[in-house]
Amino acid sequence: MSIIKQVSLLSAGCQPWYRDVCDCSRDCSFAYSSTLATYIYKLDDQYRRFKLDSVICEHRKTISAIAWNPHDSNLIASSSADHTIIVYNVAQQKVEAKLEDTKGVPCCIGWCPFSPDTLAFIQDRGPLFLWKYSLQGDSNTGVQPCKDCAGFNSAVTVFRYHHKSFGKIAFGHTDGSISICVQGIKSQKHILYPDERKDGSSSAEQDHQNPVHNLLWDPLSSDYLLVANFKHGLRLVDTQALTVIMTFTLPSIAARISTLAWMSSGPGMFITGDMNVGILRVWTVARSSPLHSLKLKKTGFHSLIAFESDQLSQACSSAKVNSKKTDYISSTSEVCTKQATAAGVTYTPPTGHALCAFSDGGVGLYDLGKQKWVFLRDQGHIETIFDCKFKPDNSDLLATASFDGTIKVWDVNTMEAVHTSSGNEGIIYHLSWAPADLNCIAAATARSGCFIWDIGKGKIIKRFLEHGKSSVYCIAWNQKESQRIASAGGDNSCVVRLVDGTVIAKLKHPAAVFGCDWSEHNKDMLATSCDDKIVRVFYMLANSEHALKVFSGHTAKVFSVRWSPLKDGIICSGSDDMTVRVWDYTQEACVQVLRGHTGPVRGLLWNPELPHLLISGSWDFSIRIWDTRDGSCLGEVKDHAADVYGLTCHPARPMIMASASRDSTVRIWSLCPLVSSLEISILAGKPLRELIASSDAPLSADSMPLLHGTRSKALLLQRGNDNDSKQKLLQRFSQFFTAPGGATNLWNLVDVIRGKAMADMPESYSKGILHIKHLIDSKTVCIIIANNTLK
């Protein structure tokens, strides 16, 4: 049995860098891509709601496009900035084919409608390449340029196959032009703003920044094309006559259309998403103004896909949205339905669904007919997550810091963001919670120094710029002395200041400082890690810039350093030499070298209950569990698809940890198999005093693990003189050992069985699994309300 098991995953949001990063399949599945991963969601027939089915992490650089095979819903293709294209089999969870050198970054990919195993892709000005992926062998086998789709005057932004006319393709360009090509026919037509101005000049001559954002063939015509440009908005073009049939009017000059989709449920009907505000508009080709407008979000649309399926409509008729309220308010962006229908228009909503991706990373599936969300995944990080930390006084709140310039605070029971910083901070490398119940976070950034974010006020209340323009890689809020904050930066210094900005010390180093950490046993002891391969310990009361202790032994830069929370004087450090070293301050020596990683070590975490247990994360995509008594690796997982940076654990749940990665995900892990003997002993009624050791208890690799932390000792005191019932004891320890949510829900059900009334249950009970008698009661109430309504 593995000693580490993933129990939850916080998926990323949809990336805003490339256009075609969302798509739907024929079998009630949809997909979207963050920077490095593609997330596949499928409809669960039993519970009638969408669930994460799989995460595809095969690319090493930013994903530039995805496309679901219209002939086989098990196959999805993706392209990337690493110049690769893969075809992935979702059902079999494996790469079906891989093209390793596209000689550029494909800006758009598409399946050939008349050749199920052929994928088209293009970059810059072309040509369009056709890859018959079923031909195995050399990585370039089956790739042929399409000479009829080449030599464009401007870079291509998007292309779309016509699904009825064989080989007919429309290309949109950065200069606003449209090219119509037919494979096998050399002649091609360029349409550069076919509507002429009154002065005789074309629009292209007057506007040079008017790229084509999106275009789609009319599903009922062989020649009509719907085109959205940055400046000139929305038009229906006859590609045969080279004329504009209809120019659609937006309500204001500032309005911009970023994406569009035809609705097959209504002939001539289509929907668009605004670029700056999350307004979805419903149109018909017979009318120049929108029929209906829905404000779904404050932030603008990034992508919009029509998702029409009879199976989906039937399944979602009773589907539950991820929110209790119809008007869903996210942490920073309103997600609600505000409607506006054109005057004098009788409007009937189209049937079908719209897969919506927003510029803030939010992703949702909206039922157009019922005008409600069927699925909503609001605001995940869209870039590398460098750090994660549990709130000291609340083990349900987890903060994350990201390359996307935001800090988010998540409720780990629901995996929903409850707070989000305002952003625009550039890269945020590291964060540290204020001690106790102070509701603030200190953060370190690449270009904007350090700052303190007051979560309650929702704003930055202090900024520190002592490191100048250099990157700040680490920040540490002293948990024993709430007035002190230390930060490590690329200006070769570690700065110690008070929260009011008063600098106490600026500790100079010979090279960049990457890490700093306060001792939990002595509030005046500070450790640093440096680019010069050295770990240093400073004593703040010495009032000296010189280190009290210096530890050398690493053969490359030292990135991370952590004091043990349980063993006074023990420090660990992680280095680019791919090792973790354990140092004893009192012996002034390295007492253990942990080898096994094949990449630089970044994340480090001591377990708050087992003093010998150390966890590390690396650029080799792995998390390793170490026993520092003998240096053995107890286990390894490689579920992350990229570098592992942040690791965190909360004393209230010492066997549950979280990790953050460059794959833009946060994963929650259980280490319970390590303490299964303790769990069995508690169930068997063994005295707690025999399971909880003193901090100076001798350690032996072959002995049964004992708990050493402050929280287990608090539970022992809570137990008192054995006055508590066995149920209370089991309840406390089940919450101590298990993942968020599950244990609480279990004991709520136990209370119901013991006769506790629904009115006396905590609010959290209604969000979890209900007892069948409460489900029956709820159903009865609904029937009574429905009958009264009909009367």
Side-chain angles (χ1 to χ4, degrees):
M1 173 188 272
S2 173
I3 67 164
I4 180 169
K5 178 183 178 182
Q6 183 176 308
V7 294
S8 186
L9 180 145
L10 177 61
S11 55
C14 184
Q15 54 126 317
W17 322 122
Y18 292 92
R19 287 180 176 83
D20 290 341
V21 288
C22 293
D23 205 3
C24 303
S25 74
R26 299 178 304 166
D27 67 343
C28 293
S29 300
F30 66 84
Y32 69 87
S33 292
S34 63
T35 305
L36 291 172
T38 299
Y39 295 84
I40 308 294
Y41 281 83
K42 288 192 174 184
L43 185 67
D44 187 306
D45 293 330
Q46 181 179 0
Y47 296 102
R48 296 181 179 272
R49 63 187 304 172
F50 280 92
K51 291 186 176 181
L52 181 64
D53 178 75
S54 55
V55 182
I56 305 171
C57 302
E58 297 295 334
H59 293 290
R60 296 296 170 254
K61 291 187 178 180
T62 305
I63 295 169
S64 59
I66 64 173
W68 223 303
N69 191 319
H71 310 279
D72 187 346
S73 57
N74 286 324
L75 299 180
I76 187 169
S78 59
S79 61
S80 167
D82 59 10
H83 297 190
T84 64
I85 297 176
I86 66 164
V87 176
Y88 192 85
N89 190 310
V90 178
Q92 299 179 16
Q93 299 284 296
K94 71 172 187 178
V95 175
E96 198 80 17
K98 185 174 184 178
L99 181 63
E100 294 187 332
D101 186 10
T102 59
K103 297 179 170 50
V105 180
C107 64
C108 189
I109 61 177
W111 292 93
C112 299
F114 302 101
S115 181
D117 62 346
T118 301
L119 189 72
F121 64 93
I122 195 168
Q123 59 261 348
D124 199 32
R125 299 187 181 189
L128 182 76
F129 287 93
L130 302 177
W131 175 36
K132 200 172 185 65
Y133 80 87
S134 59
L135 297 178
Q136 301 297 320
D138 190 328
S139 61
N140 289 323
T141 299
V143 179
Q144 296 294 332
C146 183
K147 296 180 181 179
D148 307 317
C149 304
F152 297 117
N153 296 327
S154 177
V156 174
T157 57
V158 60
F159 75 85
R160 298 286 185 256
Y161 269 98
H162 198 295
H163 288 272
K164 291 183 179 179
S165 299
F166 183 84
K168 192 173 185 178
I169 313 172
F171 296 85
H173 299 280
T174 54
D175 66 356
S177 66
I178 306 162
S179 301
I180 309 299
C181 302
V182 179
Q183 291 174 228
I185 302 176
K186 291 185 177 181
S187 62
Q188 62 183 33
K189 301 168 184 176
H190 291 274
I191 306 173
L192 298 176
Y193 301 102
D195 50 327
E196 298 290 328
R197 298 289 181 87
K198 291 181 179 180
D199 59 5
S201 65
S202 68
S203 302
E205 293 171 350
Q206 295 192 2
D207 297 299
H208 303 287
Q209 295 181 343
N210 188 31
V212 175
H213 273 164
N214 210 338
L215 48 77
L216 284 176
W217 290 103
D218 185 335
L220 301 179
S221 169
S222 60
D223 299 314
Y224 289 178
L225 185 70
L226 191 62
V227 184
N229 284 79
F230 177 70
K231 286 188 177 180
H232 291 294
L234 196 60
R235 293 171 298 169
L236 185 65
V237 176
D238 185 333
T239 59
Q240 185 65 32
L242 306 186
T243 58
V244 175
I245 300 171
M246 175 72 79
T247 299
F248 299 95
T249 305
L250 290 167
S252 70
I253 299 176
R256 297 279 187 271
I257 298 296
S258 65
T259 184
L260 49 87
W262 289 99
M263 298 300 299
S264 61
S265 59
M269 188 173 284
F270 61 93
I271 55 177
T272 62
D274 281 22
M275 181 184 301
N276 300 319
V277 183
I279 297 178
L280 184 146
R281 305 184 194 276
V282 182
W283 308 73
T284 177
V285 294
R287 182 185 175 88
S288 62
S289 58
L291 292 173
H292 193 64
S293 298
L294 298 163
K295 185 177 180 182
L296 302 184
K297 214 172 189 332
K298 287 182 178 177
T299 51
F301 274 88
H302 176 64
S303 184
L304 185 64
I305 305 290
F307 196 1
E308 299 173 277
S309 165
D310 293 337
Q311 180 186 353
L312 175 63
S313 298
Q314 294 170 8
C316 291
S317 60
S318 59
K320 293 171 65 178
V321 70
N322 293 18
S323 171
K324 291 177 64 179
K325 298 185 290 184
T326 301
D327 291 344
Y328 180 89
I329 305 298
S330 68
S331 51
T332 63
S333 182
E334 182 181 15
V335 182
C336 62
T337 303
K338 294 184 179 179
Q339 306 178 25
T341 304
V345 174
T346 302
Y347 172 70
T348 301
T351 58
H353 298 76
L355 177 61
C356 308
F358 298 93
S359 57
D360 65 356
V363 180
L365 188 64
Y366 191 76
D367 188 324
L368 293 164
K370 296 184 178 180
Q371 297 187 353
K372 69 175 185 178
W373 292 103
V374 172
F375 168 89
L376 187 61
R377 179 76 184 90
D378 196 34
Q379 291 198 314
H381 283 295
I382 57 176
E383 260 288 5
T384 299
I385 302 175
F386 283 113
D387 198 18
C388 58
K389 292 286 192 306
F390 281 106
K391 194 173 190 297
D393 69 321
N394 189 340
S395 58
D396 290 335
L397 295 183
L398 177 72
T400 53
S402 172
F403 189 99
D404 63 19
T406 64
I407 298 173
K408 295 179 184 289
V409 179
W410 307 87
D411 183 334
V412 294
N413 295 295
T414 61
M415 301 304 278
E416 293 179 354
V418 292
H419 302 285
T420 301
S421 66
S422 58
N424 302 319
E425 292 296 332
I427 304 170
I428 302 180
Y429 283 127
H430 203 256
L431 64 84
S432 181
W433 283 94
D437 59 351
L438 297 176
N439 204 25
C440 293
I441 292 175
T445 75
R447 291 291 179 265
S448 304
C450 309
F451 64 84
I452 297 177
W453 175 41
D454 187 314
I455 297 173
K457 296 178 180 178
K459 65 179 183 179
I460 293 173
I461 59 173
K462 198 72 179 178
R463 191 176 294 277
F464 310 114
L465 300 172
E466 301 91 347
H467 293 281
K469 295 182 179 180
S470 297
S471 294
V472 185
Y473 298 105
C474 183
I475 194 162
W477 205 318
N478 194 320
Q479 299 297 302
K480 299 295 183 181
E481 174 53 75
S482 62
Q483 291 296 307
R484 291 182 189 171
I485 298 175
S487 58
D491 62 338
N492 302 355
S493 74
C494 177
V495 177
V496 180
R497 64 185 70 76
L498 300 179
V499 292
D500 64 5
T502 303
V503 175
I504 298 175
K506 192 165 186 177
L507 308 172
K508 286 291 185 179
H509 290 63
V513 187
F514 294 110
C516 58
D517 193 40
W518 294 101
S519 170
E520 294 193 30
H521 296 275
N522 188 328
K523 63 184 177 61
D524 298 309
M525 300 290 277
L526 177 69
T528 64
S529 54
C530 185
D531 198 15
D532 67 352
K533 312 171 190 176
I534 301 295
V535 174
R536 293 172 173 82
V537 176
F538 295 87
Y539 184 52
M540 300 310 300
L541 294 184
N543 293 321
S544 172
E545 293 185 0
H546 299 290
L548 191 64
K549 302 283 184 181
V550 175
F551 298 101
S552 60
H554 282 296
T555 58
K557 76 178 180 185
V558 188
F559 197 87
S560 306
V561 61
R562 294 288 182 272
W563 289 92
S564 169
L566 299 175
K567 301 293 289 182
D568 192 9
I570 299 297
I571 311 170
C572 68
S573 57
S575 168
D576 278 16
D577 64 10
M578 300 181 286
T579 68
V580 178
R581 286 179 177 260
V582 180
W583 314 88
D584 189 326
Y585 173 85
T586 59
Q587 297 181 26
E588 300 187 36
C590 175
V591 295
Q592 199 64 260
V593 181
L594 309 176
R595 306 181 189 275
H597 281 299
T598 57
V601 178
R602 287 296 177 262
L604 288 175
L605 172 68
W606 289 99
N607 185 272
E609 283 290 342
L610 303 177
H612 62 278
L613 200 66
L614 180 64
I615 301 102
S616 60
S618 168
W619 278 10
D620 63 10
F621 308 174
S622 76
I623 297 171
R624 283 178 174 257
I625 315 297
W626 306 93
D627 187 331
T628 58
R629 294 172 294 191
D630 58 9
S632 61
C633 179
L634 302 177
E636 177 189 26
V637 289
K638 285 192 172 183
D639 289 28
H640 278 295
D643 319 336
V644 180
Y645 286 102
L647 296 170
T648 185
C649 186
H650 196 282
R653 293 192 185 104
M655 293 299 111
I656 301 299
M657 58 170 263
S659 61
S661 167
R662 190 166 62 88
D663 67 7
S664 307
T665 67
V666 173
R667 298 170 192 251
I668 309 295
W669 309 86
S670 171
L671 300 173
C672 284
L674 283 170
V675 291
S676 57
S677 58
L678 283 174
E679 293 177 303
I680 293 172
S681 297
I682 292 170
L683 289 172
K686 193 171 184 177
L688 291 183
R689 294 179 182 83
E690 297 181 17
L691 307 177
I692 300 174
S694 61
S695 59
D696 57 352
L699 298 176
S700 172
D702 56 357
S703 61
M704 186 182 82
L706 298 178
L707 301 174
H708 289 67
T710 56
R711 188 54 62 99
S712 60
K713 291 182 173 64
L715 289 175
L716 179 60
L717 292 174
Q718 210 170 1
R719 173 68 170 159
N721 298 319
D722 295 329
N723 293 325
D724 287 343
S725 65
K726 186 174 183 180
Q727 177 189 329
K728 287 291 185 182
L729 175 67
L730 293 176
Q731 184 173 347
R732 290 184 187 126
F733 272 93
S734 64
Q735 293 170 339
F736 183 70
F737 285 121
T738 59
T744 302
N745 195 189
L746 171 65
W747 290 107
N748 283 337
L749 292 171
V750 170
D751 287 338
V752 173
I753 294 171
R754 288 175 174 266
K756 196 169 186 179
M758 177 73 169
D760 298 327
M761 299 299 293
E763 184 181 351
S764 60
Y765 172 60
S766 62
K767 298 178 181 178
I769 299 172
L770 298 179
H771 192 277
I772 188 169
K773 75 174 185 179
H774 291 150
L775 288 175
I776 294 172
D777 291 344
S778 299
K779 187 175 181 180
T780 303
V781 170
C782 291
I783 292 172
I784 293 171
I785 293 173
N787 289 336
N788 290 336
T789 303
L790 291 173
K791 291 178 182 178

